[in-house]
Amino acid sequence: MKESLSQYTEPLEQERSEGKAPKDLSIVASNAIKYTAYIMLAFGFLYFLITYLAPMLE
């Protein structure tokens, strides 16, 4: 009555991902624009802090 379950299961094949950079240039361009915007926002916030809030502390 005992049957082996191994005959019913198929071996799982694992896909190998080597972590290569995306080949689609639109994805690379999109990421470049996104991170450039993040950097510009960060510098804009720092400029605001230095220009407007720093004189209030003196």
Side-chain angles (χ1 to χ4, degrees), residues 9-30:
T9 59
E10 297 177 6
L12 297 175
E13 295 181 14
Q14 296 179 355
E15 295 182 14
R16 294 185 181 186
S17 61
E18 297 178 8
K20 293 183 180 177
K23 294 181 180 179
D24 190 9
L25 291 179
S26 64
I27 294 173
V28 175
S30 172

Side-chain angles (χ1 to χ4, degrees), residues 4-5 7 11-13 18-19 21 25 27 29 31 40-43 46-51 55-58:
S4 175
L5 293 177
Q7 64 184 354
L12 297 175
E13 295 181 14
E18 297 178 8
L25 291 179
I27 294 173
N31 285 336
M40 290 175 66
L41 286 171
F43 280 124
L46 289 174
Y47 176 77
F48 170 76
L49 288 177
I50 292 169
T51 305
M56 290 181 176
L57 299 175
E58 293 179 355

